[in-house]
Amino acid sequence: MISPVLDVGLEEALQSLCTDTSTLTRIPVRFSKDHFEYKGLPADMQLMLYRVLQEQINNIIKHAHASEVNVKLGVANNTLLLSIHDNGRGFNIDNKSKGVGMRNMKSRVEAYQGCFEVKSSVGKGTEVVIKIPV
């Protein structure tokens, strides 16, 4: 298998990653789609989105102490949206140095002229929002 995304497509690969993570960690990782009927995303962009979700799920498992994660994929106004939200302990963005994983995710998204946003506050979880023009 070269890539789970190339084998089954983006939506199914993200769903499978969420399901597998839930099974292995016993942390519910819910996947939903909102108006995602977009076809024709380049294979390399699909793989990048998969890898970013994989990295953020690893961050959540290691650092967030979350009891649930919600992943949402959609397209609106010619923009692909991927949101990854956890209910973990969160952190103060101003005081937190960006780790290698966060920098890697940001640079991967920006390579597609996308926007990578992190929203977090102590005790309120973290949300990563990715917006890429399509």
Side-chain angles (χ1 to χ4, degrees):
M1 175 171 74
I2 296 170
S3 155
V5 176
L6 297 178
D7 288 347
V8 298
L10 179 63
E11 185 181 331
E12 193 170 326
L14 297 183
Q15 173 68 61
S16 180
L17 178 58
C18 293
T19 301
D20 292 349
T21 300
S22 293
T23 301
L24 292 170
T25 64
R26 299 191 188 269
I27 300 169
V29 181
R30 295 178 186 90
F31 176 81
S32 64
K33 65 175 191 160
D34 184 25
H35 301 103
F36 186 77
E37 302 301 328
Y38 194 85
K39 303 292 181 209
L41 287 178
D44 57 336
M45 181 187 290
Q46 292 181 50
L47 181 58
M48 178 275 297
L49 290 164
Y50 181 86
R51 296 288 182 228
V52 166
L53 176 58
Q54 195 173 42
E55 178 70 29
Q56 184 55 18
I57 285 175
N58 286 333
N59 287 342
I60 292 166
I61 292 166
K62 284 185 197 174
H63 307 293
H65 302 286
S67 62
E68 68 178 50
V69 179
N70 290 292
V71 177
K72 188 173 183 179
L73 177 67
V75 173
N77 301 321
N78 297 318
T79 302
L80 181 139
L81 305 166
L82 178 63
S83 168
I84 309 155
H85 182 265
D86 71 70
N87 70 344
R89 63 184 182 181
F91 59 92
N92 183 335
I93 291 177
D94 296 329
N95 294 342
K96 183 78 171 175
S97 67
K98 301 291 187 277
V100 172
M102 284 287 191
R103 283 194 306 267
N104 285 344
M105 288 188 288
K106 184 176 184 347
S107 66
R108 286 178 178 195
V109 170
E110 288 176 348
Y112 291 91
Q113 289 70 51
C115 174
F116 180 86
E117 257 184 280
V118 179
K119 303 172 186 174
S120 188
S121 58
V122 176
K124 302 208 182 210
T126 300
E127 182 178 25
V128 169
V129 178
I130 296 155
K131 299 176 185 175
I132 301 174
V134 291

